């Protein structure tokens, strides 16, 4: 399983306002913009529950989206370190099923708003 789920696609509009509205509606906090223009969001604080980071970078019509789930140390210890620290959100496998499903559902809403197919 990949550490992050990555999508690259084209759109004919600025995704920043759409992503900001989606983040607010889905309890993702805005974490800032990096020097390369990547907008970073995160759901959860990673203390009691695993955090769900998402980053979006737009360069002209091209959009690069990365999403994943970060498992807490406590969860990894309880699972005897069978759970990786970072996981993509695509379906399949038995590790981190619930947090990956939650992240996938919310990211699929954003992808649908951008006219893109869902992550399976």
């Amino acid at each position: 399983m990949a550490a992050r789920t990555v999508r690259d696609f084209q759109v004919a509009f600025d995704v920043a306002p759409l992503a900001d509205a989606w983040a607010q509606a889905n309890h993702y906090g805005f974490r800032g913009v990096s020097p390369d223009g990547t907008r970073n969001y995160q759901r959860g604080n990673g203390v009691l529950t695993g955090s769900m980071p998402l980053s979006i970078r737009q360069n002209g019509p091209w959009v690069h989206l990365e999403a994943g789930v970060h498992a807490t140390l406590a969860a990894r210890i309880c699972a005897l370190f069978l759970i990786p620290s970072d996981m993509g959100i695509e379906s399949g496998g038995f590790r981190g099923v619930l947090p990956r499903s939650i992240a996938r559902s919310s990211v699929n809403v954003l992808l649908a708003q951008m006219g893109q197919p869902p992550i399976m």
Side-chain angles (χ1 to χ4, degrees):
M1 176 180 301
R4 289 280 185 119
T5 298
V6 177
R7 284 286 178 93
D8 291 305
F9 53 90
Q10 288 183 321
V11 294
F13 53 87
D14 182 16
V15 299
L18 186 65
D20 289 344
W22 165 86
Q24 186 175 20
N26 286 279
H27 309 289
Y28 276 75
F30 182 60
R31 307 288 287 196
V33 179
S34 62
D36 68 352
T38 302
R39 301 179 71 77
N40 299 298
Y41 304 92
Q42 181 172 307
R43 182 177 182 172
N45 57 14
V47 177
L48 297 176
T49 61
S51 61
M52 300 173 193
L54 177 120
S55 62
I56 299 175
R57 181 178 64 242
Q58 184 169 14
N59 187 7
W62 291 98
V63 176
H64 178 80
L65 180 142
E66 291 186 19
V69 173
H70 181 77
T72 63
L73 181 60
R76 294 187 69 217
I77 290 170
C78 290
L80 303 174
F81 291 96
L82 294 173
I83 298 174
S85 59
D86 292 304
M87 297 174 278
I89 62 172
E90 55 277 314
S91 61
F94 65 94
R95 296 180 283 180
V97 173
L98 186 58
R100 287 188 302 123
S101 176
I102 293 168
R104 184 173 52 252
S105 295
S106 61
V107 171
N108 281 340
V109 169
L110 177 61
L111 288 171
Q113 292 173 351
M114 294 182 189
Q116 299 301 310
I119 296 169
M120 296 297 197

